[in-house]
């Protein structure tokens, strides 16, 4: 079953703009991860944030985590057409043997 | 290159037929995961192996589904008597440090 919802379901922006995607989850977690999926392909890991962290950066990516609200956000700055993809959050719960539970994803379209 | 090869990339079958997918890790991994992804949704866990042993199965894995990992290397996922609801992308994944590496998946279409 899906862990939670992602918001928005779809997002369309112009190249150079920032894109923000949100994720909510339901259970206690060890960490939260974000993955990217190009159409018809497998998922690629982008960034991980641990449950005791509040913010993390990697290149143009910024992830926040609010465990009290069970929510996370992914910010992509200075977007490029090549960022067009689906983005999924995934939670790694305690005792899960690293079985990830994914959200329903945000389809990001970056227009050139 | 994620280190995971899946075959075939696409499979079209008629309802009621059996299908088998294969996942080949390029290097040795103790664990191997199968996920299913339907259109517009995130992947959902199906099952995982620790070496040859299948340790956990999701409720999504009905009796028509069977997975094997005979020598602790490659794995197969078979669906018997396919139904239209089985149409999905079937993804194999290997564990990395605190992440999963996914193959490109097998896209199954049941007509």
């Amino acid at each position: 079953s899906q862990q939670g919802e992602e918001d928005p379901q779809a997002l369309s922006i112009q190249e150079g703009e920032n894109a923000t995607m949100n994720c909510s989850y339901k259970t206690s977690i060890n960490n939260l991860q974000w993955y990217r999926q190009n159409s018809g392909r497998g998922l690629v890991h982008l960034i991980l944030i641990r449950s005791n962290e509040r913010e993390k950066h990697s290149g143009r990516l910024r992830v926040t985590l609010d465990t009290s609200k069970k929510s996370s956000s992914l910010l992509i700055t200075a977007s490029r057409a090549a960022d067009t993809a689906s983005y999924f959050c995934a939670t790694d719960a305690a005792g899960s043997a690293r079985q990830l539970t994914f959200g329903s994803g945000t389809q990001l379209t970056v227009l050139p | 290159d994620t280190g995971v090869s899946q075959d075939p990339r696409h499979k079209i079958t008629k309802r009621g037929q059996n299908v088998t997918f294969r996942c080949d890790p390029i290097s040795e991994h103790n664990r191997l995961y199968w996920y299913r992804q339907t259109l517009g949704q995130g992947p959902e866990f199906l099952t995982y192996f620790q070496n040859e042993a299948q340790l956990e199965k999701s409720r999504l894995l009905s009796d028509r589904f069977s997975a094997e990992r005979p020598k602790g290397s490659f794995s197969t996922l078979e669906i018997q008597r396919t139904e239209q609801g089985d149409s999905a992308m079937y993804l194999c994944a290997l564990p990395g440090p605190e992440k999963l590496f996914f193959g490109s998946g097998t896209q199954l279409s049941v007509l």
Side-chain angles (χ1 to χ4, degrees):
Chain A
S1 62
Q2 302 291 307
Q3 168 69 287
E5 295 297 321
E6 290 185 60
D7 169 50
Q9 288 188 331
L11 178 62
S12 184
I13 59 174
Q14 294 293 135
E15 210 165 24
E17 293 181 338
N18 296 341
T20 300
M21 290 159 264
N22 303 297
C23 163
S24 62
Y25 59 91
K26 296 174 183 174
T27 62
S28 297
I29 61 172
N30 286 331
N31 64 61
L32 185 142
Q33 306 176 29
W34 286 87
Y35 286 78
R36 166 196 166 121
Q37 184 178 36
N38 286 64
S39 180
R41 307 292 296 183
L43 287 83
V44 176
H45 180 268
L46 293 176
I47 192 168
L48 176 150
I49 186 165
R50 301 182 197 286
S51 60
N52 62 353
E53 297 176 315
R54 292 296 166 258
E55 188 172 313
K56 201 160 184 181
H57 297 255
S58 176
R60 294 185 295 115
L61 304 179
R62 173 179 169 254
V63 172
T64 63
L65 179 64
D66 186 335
T67 53
S68 66
K69 295 181 180 177
K70 291 187 167 58
S71 68
S72 173
S73 68
L74 172 68
L75 168 67
I76 304 174
T77 61
S79 63
R80 305 166 183 168
D83 294 329
T84 295
S86 292
Y87 292 82
F88 296 90
C89 66
T91 51
D92 182 353
S96 72
R98 210 180 297 148
Q99 166 202 318
L100 295 180
T101 304
F102 287 82
S104 51
T106 293
Q107 171 62 52
L108 172 66
T109 301
V110 181
L111 303 169
Chain B
D1 182 10
T2 61
V4 189
S5 175
Q6 289 192 248
D7 182 65
R9 287 296 316 280
H10 303 274
K11 179 72 178 178
I12 299 173
T13 190
K14 291 184 178 179
R15 187 163 51 94
Q17 298 293 306
N18 299 343
V19 294
T20 299
F21 315 134
R22 179 174 169 125
C23 170
D24 275 280
I26 292 175
S27 58
E28 285 189 14
H29 283 81
N30 290 338
R31 287 192 178 176
L32 182 150
Y33 296 78
W34 283 99
Y35 282 77
R36 183 180 78 176
Q37 184 178 24
T38 53
L39 194 62
Q41 297 297 314
E44 295 176 289
F45 171 78
L46 289 180
T47 188
Y48 89 92
F49 289 85
Q50 177 78 30
N51 300 314
E52 309 86 16
Q54 188 175 13
L55 294 188
E56 190 171 341
K57 293 195 285 187
S58 159
R59 287 174 296 173
L60 294 174
L61 222 60
S62 74
D63 292 345
R64 298 183 296 104
F65 287 70
S66 63
E68 294 184 343
R69 196 180 184 205
K71 297 183 179 179
S73 57
F74 73 91
S75 178
T76 59
L77 177 66
E78 181 183 16
I79 309 175
Q80 296 181 328
R81 305 180 302 282
T82 52
E83 301 172 356
Q84 287 184 320
D86 296 331
S87 294
M89 173 85 86
Y90 291 83
L91 294 159
C92 177
L94 302 176
E98 296 185 303
K99 67 179 80 169
L100 289 179
F101 293 100
F102 284 87
S104 295
T106 293
Q107 180 65 55
L108 173 67
S109 298
V110 181
L111 304 178

